[in-house]
Amino acid sequence: MDIYLGSDHAGVLLKKKVLSHLRESGHKAIDLGVFDEVNKVDYPDIAREVGEKVLENNGSRGVLVCGTGIGMSIAANKMKGIRAACVHDVTTAEMAAKHNNANIITFGERVLGEQVARDMIDVWLKTPFEGGRHEDRLNKISNIEND
Ligand code: RB5
């Protein structure tokens, strides 16, 4: 599975650690930037870039890191077909896969440690979507996008 990563300046250090973790775990992880924490950028630009790649590449996923994870999730969720979950711990990451079939997770470098970030990604990637009633709810979300 291809996994696209992106961050703004406030998330770049944690994103680099997560990138190494994914590659060490054997995933194809592609870092779309940014690459330094000094030059300030606008998180919606990065969210859009990662979201577009996830939509183009069927079955791929995205990881977005900013200061809190909030801005990235708000921006990514404006894109039709993106289900971006702002996660904080292993439980929210697991449920983002199981119930929400999130194709992107977002989280914040200013509010999370590296080990939590690694554990969240691992559980999100390995947990299958349950489907059933949750599929019906996702269809209703698609209806909102289409109305
Ligand atoms: C940047 O200062 C910060 O606002 C951004 O990284 C993010 O936390 C927004 O939600």
Side-chain angles (χ1 to χ4, degrees):
M1 180 196 300
D2 293 349
I3 303 165
Y4 297 100
L5 286 91
S7 73
D8 68 356
H9 54 282
V12 73
L13 299 178
L14 184 55
K15 183 199 60 181
K16 281 181 187 168
K17 290 173 182 163
V18 159
L19 177 70
S20 304
H21 172 63
L22 282 169
R23 289 183 174 162
E24 279 161 17
S25 313
H27 293 289
K28 186 178 168 199
I30 304 123
D31 187 357
L32 299 176
V34 295
F35 300 102
D36 77 85
E37 69 273 29
V38 178
N39 298 303
K40 307 243 182 289
V41 296
D42 298 328
Y43 60 81
D45 296 333
I46 316 299
R48 181 191 283 252
E49 206 176 333
V50 168
E52 282 174 352
K53 289 286 186 195
V54 169
L55 291 171
E56 274 166 25
N57 184 350
N58 206 21
S60 67
R61 296 213 188 167
V63 174
L64 287 165
V65 191
C66 60
T68 59
I70 297 170
M72 286 293 196
S73 69
I74 292 172
N77 278 316
K78 297 296 178 192
M79 304 179 73
K80 188 172 171 178
I82 293 297
R83 293 175 303 280
C86 183
V87 295
H88 303 280
D89 47 41
V90 169
T91 306
T92 49
E94 182 186 0
M95 298 312 278
K98 204 185 255 191
H99 284 192
N100 310 112
N101 200 15
N103 47 12
I104 290 182
I105 55 168
T106 76
F107 49 85
E109 179 181 310
R110 293 175 180 162
V111 294
L112 278 183
E114 178 185 351
Q115 188 61 52
V116 175
R118 289 168 173 233
D119 292 347
M120 291 189 317
I121 291 188
D122 290 347
V123 76
W124 171 61
L125 290 174
K126 78 167 194 219
T127 303
F129 176 49
E130 260 182 18
R133 68 187 190 281
H134 303 295
E135 182 88 62
D136 299 339
R137 291 164 186 164
L138 295 190
N139 288 338
K140 290 193 175 194
I141 293 174
S142 300
N143 292 344
I144 294 171
E145 286 178 332
N146 292 326
D147 282 349

